Amino acid sequence: MRREVIARGVVVSVLVAAVLLVALVLLRGDGTYEVNARIINAGNLVNGNLVTVAGESVGLLEDVELTDDGQARLRLSINSEYAPLREGTRAIVRKRSLSSIANDTIELQLGPDGPALREGDEIPAINTESAVPIDSVLNTFDPVARLAVGKGLKLFRDFNLGSEDRSQAALLFLNPAISSGSRLFQELNASRPELERFIDATAALTTDLSARDDQLAGLVTNLGTTMSALAAERGNLGDSLEQLPTFLRRTNTTFVNLRASLDDLDPLVAASKPATENLAPFLRRLRIVATESVPVF
């Protein structure tokens, strides 16, 4: 009897300890830490959406709130084994399927080894991407455009009939191209003042060019005449170009020989310097004599 009481006491103690352990784990939140993510459009995101890394669930979306500048701030609860996140981590909203509404997930693309994001830090909007709702895409087309798109898809289907595998392999390269284009436009959007100045300068240049269209037309006409004349003389130009290397070689030889001749003239010039000291006064007097001799001759 006493052994049964002891056994029951041990079982009760084990159960109480297990309950306390489960409660402790739940109260501690399984060692999670929270970071925020700024996103332009929260779309169909709701509390409880999964946060994933490479398709594996690593946390939950705890809250969505509106910021003062009209964007959305997501509060993400991340499991401790993935903490801390690093600067450069990207948060991309993806749809798991098109058949339901609130089935979006937030995929994290972990950043490189860099400074850690502390509790409560924020992933900036430049490192986040929103999911585009399918109805937003469809609403951009009017009935005529929808009919044209449908015909285009049928034409694409008929064109790739029998080569679906190769077409599917080619479409795999479409996503990286679109992602690169998206990042390019994000960089352009971040450099909007410089882009606006470039567009203004281009517009001013175009306006100046349009004001001088007559002169530009004359320049283009003259350039066309010059090119036509050169084309008509292409035979002579070809002959000249063929003779140019020979001419340059002979010219080089001439200049080399001229250098030696100039070296030989140096003693003559040195010997002539004493005789030319009184040459200038003599030439001045000779000029007077020549002028007075003109009537005589």
Side-chain angles (χ1 to χ4, degrees):
M1 186 67 179
R2 184 176 181 181
R3 292 181 178 178
E4 293 179 357
V5 173
I6 295 175
R8 290 177 181 177
V10 172
V11 171
V12 171
S13 301
V14 171
L15 290 176
V16 171
V19 171
L20 292 177
L21 180 62
V22 171
L24 180 61
V25 170
L26 293 177
L27 290 176
R28 292 182 58 186
D30 197 21
T32 60
Y33 96 116
E34 294 182 351
V35 294
N36 298 321
R38 181 73 67 93
I39 196 168
I40 297 177
N41 182 9
N44 295 322
L45 291 175
V46 295
N47 296 349
N49 283 143
L50 293 179
V51 179
T52 64
V53 172
E56 181 181 354
S57 177
V58 299
L60 296 174
L61 173 61
E62 295 292 343
D63 187 29
V64 180
E65 62 178 1
L66 185 65
T67 62
D68 295 336
D69 56 357
Q71 297 182 353
R73 180 182 291 111
L74 311 179
R75 184 160 57 88
L76 309 178
S77 178
I78 310 298
N79 296 341
S80 59
E81 59 181 307
Y82 291 94
L85 300 179
R86 302 291 178 176
E87 291 186 4
T89 297
R90 297 177 54 81
I92 302 174
V93 179
R94 300 193 184 279
K95 288 187 173 296
R96 301 176 66 180
S97 69
L98 300 177
S99 58
S100 59
I101 299 176
N103 66 338
D104 294 353
T105 61
I106 304 170
E107 179 182 338
L108 297 180
Q109 295 180 353
L110 302 181
D113 293 335
L117 294 177
R118 295 174 298 178
E119 181 89 12
D121 282 352
E122 185 175 88
I123 300 174
I126 194 173
N127 288 337
T128 62
E129 294 183 15
S130 305
V132 179
I134 188 63
D135 53 348
S136 300
V137 177
L138 296 178
N139 289 336
T140 59
F141 299 100
D142 55 18
V144 177
R146 293 179 187 176
L147 180 61
V149 171
K151 291 182 178 180
L153 292 176
K154 291 180 180 178
L155 178 63
F156 183 76
R157 178 201 62 188
D158 297 337
F159 179 77
N160 293 281
L161 190 63
S163 58
E164 291 83 358
D165 294 338
R166 288 185 295 176
S167 301
Q168 185 177 4
L171 289 176
L172 292 176
F173 296 96
L174 185 61
N175 185 26
I178 295 177
S179 300
S180 300
S182 176
R183 294 179 183 177
L184 171 62
F185 286 111
Q186 287 179 359
E187 294 296 333
L188 291 177
N189 186 44
S191 304
R192 182 176 296 178
E194 290 78 6
L195 182 61
E196 290 178 351
R197 286 196 294 270
F198 172 74
I199 293 175
D200 292 340
T202 304
L205 175 62
T206 305
T207 303
D208 294 339
L209 291 178
S210 62
R212 299 176 180 272
D213 53 354
D214 295 335
Q215 300 177 5
L216 289 175
L219 176 62
V220 173
T221 302
N222 295 333
L223 183 60
T225 304
T226 303
M227 291 300 177
S228 299
L230 291 175
E233 299 292 336
R234 60 181 179 272
N236 296 330
L237 288 174
D239 295 338
S240 300
L241 292 176
E242 289 179 358
Q243 297 175 7
L244 184 60
T246 304
F247 170 75
L248 292 176
R249 284 195 297 270
R250 292 178 179 177
T251 303
N252 183 45
T253 303
T254 302
F255 284 123
V256 170
N257 296 332
L258 181 61
R259 185 184 304 117
S261 301
L262 293 176
D263 293 337
D264 295 337
L265 287 175
D266 286 342
L268 176 61
V269 173
S272 301
K273 286 182 179 179
T276 57
E277 292 180 355
N278 299 322
L279 185 60
F282 171 75
L283 292 176
R284 284 195 296 269
R285 295 176 182 177
L286 182 60
R287 179 179 181 183
I288 297 174
V289 173
T291 301
E292 294 178 352
S293 301
V294 170
V296 177
F297 289 102

